[in-house]
Amino acid sequence: MRLTLIIALSAFQLWAGLHFGVGRAIRSQAQELSAEVGPSRDPQLGRPYQNAGDVTIARGYSNTASAPWGAAHHGLDFLVSTGTRHVFLAAEEGWVTEIKKFANEITGNWQVNVKIQFNKNFSMRYAFEPFTANSADADAQIANLNISKGQKVLKGESIGRLVAVGSGTHVDFGFKKKDSDVCPSGYFAPDVLNEITTSLRTVYPGANLCYE
Amino acid sequence: MRYVNRILFLIISFFLLNLAQAAGRGRPAPQGSGGGDKSSRLGRPWSIGLGQDNINILLPVGKKWAYQGRLGGVSASSGNGVYYLGSSLRRYFPKTPILDFYLSPDINISHFDVDQAKGLGAALGATVGIEYRLRPRLGLSFDIGPYWIYLRNFEPAITRQSWEWIVNTNIHFYIR
């Protein structure tokens, strides 16, 4: 009888995949969740735009006003021509955790920020800035996005089109590591980095992409 | 490590089954216990305990009831690991003067930081178990049951839920 019970218990626990303690069971499930949240590796950024010929890099990343563009700027500005609807892409895979429309306190213009969380440590921010004080244009910008909050996007997938209303319309591409803005140059694929840097140097000859 | 746990489980199972059988064969009741009064040792004192991944306290709340509060944690290869607070209520079913069966609903809340996942979670379950009094001030308990585990990641706000079988073992040091 005792042997039967032991065999039955052993068979049951082998079959059931028992967890020994609540903490271990939660950890096991958290590991499963971790795989859904994002990869453990660092991001490898691709092109944030669809066609290189459609955009000009107007400003790079800087922590200091001594950069060629004369101001601290925590992002890369991808400038487009007025009246266009150019497509922007997810530079890496991730979860859309924020889509926010608001009026920029400095310029007074509306903008729409999209945040894509790559993993626990890294996120990307696309600030769609149509350069307009008209709220309806910002609504049009939201309507031109292909994504929604809570959605997973793949690398290279279209985020949406930038509605270029005013002169100076651009996407400000920000990159964060552990909630701090960082220069993304070390995370771009070499060909993309070369493409972006070359574009920036058409505006600021000899400039670096980042000044820290 | 996984197999170490499973072997440990077998050893504990074997040990407890032996004890249960020995107790069931009619180990003499302690003098003054009232002979057949199985509940005479209940209304037990409080204890501090050690579980596989927690420290706990067991407080009597009635003749056949006890509350167990737990503070536990496990590490992770990346991240701060899992910390949890647990509460359970044991309803004892005395078997012999040294052996009790019990049923126990169990609620746990947790903070986890494991690899890419970071957030809050809960584990709700109900277990059935036995507690054996090795010495007057030393007890060993063992229970098993199904738990519903719910985890919510901070950002992105994705969730995961599942049913898991969990085994809890504790050593209780009775204080008075």
Side-chain angles (χ1 to χ4, degrees):
Chain A
M1 179 62 182
R2 188 177 64 197
L3 187 63
T4 308
L5 275 172
I6 291 170
I7 291 170
L9 267 173
S10 307
F12 174 72
Q13 73 99 10
L14 287 170
W15 168 78
L18 292 174
H19 297 283
F20 288 81
V22 170
R24 286 187 176 88
I26 292 173
R27 181 177 63 187
S28 170
Q29 292 308 304
Q31 284 167 337
E32 299 280 337
L33 185 63
S34 169
E36 293 180 47
V37 171
S40 298
R41 61 175 172 83
D42 284 352
Q44 296 164 338
L45 301 177
R47 286 182 180 82
Y49 45 79
Q50 190 171 56
N51 297 312
D54 295 337
V55 298
T56 303
I57 315 304
R59 283 195 293 180
Y61 178 96
S62 56
N63 283 327
T64 168
S66 62
W69 40 90
H73 183 241
H74 293 159
L76 308 178
D77 282 353
F78 296 101
L79 192 72
V80 300
S81 304
T82 305
T84 57
R85 292 281 198 279
H86 292 305
V87 173
F88 280 79
L89 310 175
E92 249 296 8
E93 67 175 89
W95 292 87
V96 180
T97 57
E98 181 182 83
I99 297 177
K100 183 172 143 190
K101 169 193 161 187
F102 64 100
N104 188 305
E105 289 179 2
I106 298 169
T107 64
N109 289 328
W110 288 97
Q111 69 182 73
V112 177
N113 279 13
V114 173
K115 183 179 177 185
I116 298 175
Q117 191 82 30
F118 171 71
N119 61 17
K120 186 168 67 177
N121 294 328
F122 293 95
S123 68
M124 300 166 284
R125 182 213 63 226
Y126 292 74
F128 288 82
E129 300 188 39
F131 265 55
T132 172
N134 185 350
S135 175
D137 289 330
D139 292 336
Q141 177 58 70
I142 289 177
N144 272 271
L145 297 178
N146 300 332
I147 53 172
S148 54
K149 188 177 175 184
Q151 178 188 335
K152 178 102 188 250
V153 292
L154 301 175
K155 182 176 181 177
E157 194 175 328
S158 169
I159 295 172
R161 293 176 180 275
L162 172 59
V163 179
V165 179
S167 177
T169 293
H170 65 274
V171 165
D172 185 335
F173 177 81
F175 187 68
K176 282 181 186 284
K177 181 179 183 180
K178 294 185 176 175
D179 292 329
S180 295
D181 292 300
V182 294
C183 169
S185 64
Y187 298 92
F188 276 115
D191 58 328
V192 179
L193 178 62
N194 183 51
E195 192 174 281
I196 291 173
T197 306
T198 302
S199 176
L200 179 70
R201 286 176 180 164
T202 63
V203 183
Y204 301 104
N208 296 323
L209 193 60
C210 298
Y211 291 84
E212 295 179 281
Chain B
M1 191 60 196
R2 184 180 179 182
Y3 291 102
V4 170
N5 277 329
R6 284 165 189 250
I7 290 165
L8 184 67
F9 175 86
L10 286 176
I11 292 169
I12 292 169
S13 304
F14 183 80
F15 177 65
L16 290 174
L17 284 167
N18 265 301
L19 291 177
Q21 214 170 47
R25 276 199 297 265
R27 178 176 291 187
Q31 283 196 349
S33 71
D37 180 8
K38 290 175 179 173
S39 65
S40 61
R41 73 208 178 289
L42 293 173
R44 61 191 58 231
W46 65 280
S47 79
I48 56 172
L50 287 174
Q52 301 110 310
D53 56 15
N54 65 72
I55 56 170
N56 59 71
I57 186 166
L58 196 62
L59 301 170
V61 290
K63 193 174 180 184
K64 294 184 178 178
W65 294 85
Y67 165 81
Q68 188 185 43
R70 291 184 304 278
L71 176 63
V74 292
S75 63
S77 57
S78 169
N80 293 326
V82 174
Y83 298 95
Y84 71 94
L85 276 171
S87 284
S88 61
L89 199 59
R90 288 185 179 184
R91 167 60 163 94
Y92 287 101
F93 298 91
K95 176 71 176 168
T96 76
I98 55 170
L99 187 71
D100 294 333
F101 287 91
Y102 61 85
L103 291 175
S104 176
D106 189 5
I107 299 173
N108 301 271
I109 56 171
S110 161
H111 178 273
F112 59 89
D113 180 3
V114 177
D115 301 335
Q116 298 306 315
K118 187 175 185 179
L120 297 175
L124 311 178
T127 63
V128 56
I130 55 177
E131 181 178 340
Y132 180 74
R133 197 68 80 89
L134 291 163
R135 294 283 183 273
R137 292 186 183 278
L138 185 64
L140 183 66
S141 72
F142 168 90
D143 58 63
I144 181 171
Y147 281 72
W148 177 68
I149 296 178
Y150 175 85
L151 304 181
R152 181 181 175 84
N153 194 63
F154 286 144
E155 193 170 50
I158 55 176
T159 62
R160 179 180 179 82
Q161 52 183 314
S162 66
W163 283 94
E164 303 292 334
W165 284 90
I166 297 178
V167 172
N168 300 299
T169 54
N170 293 284
I171 298 172
H172 303 284
F173 302 96
Y174 287 94
I175 302 302
R176 63 171 182 79

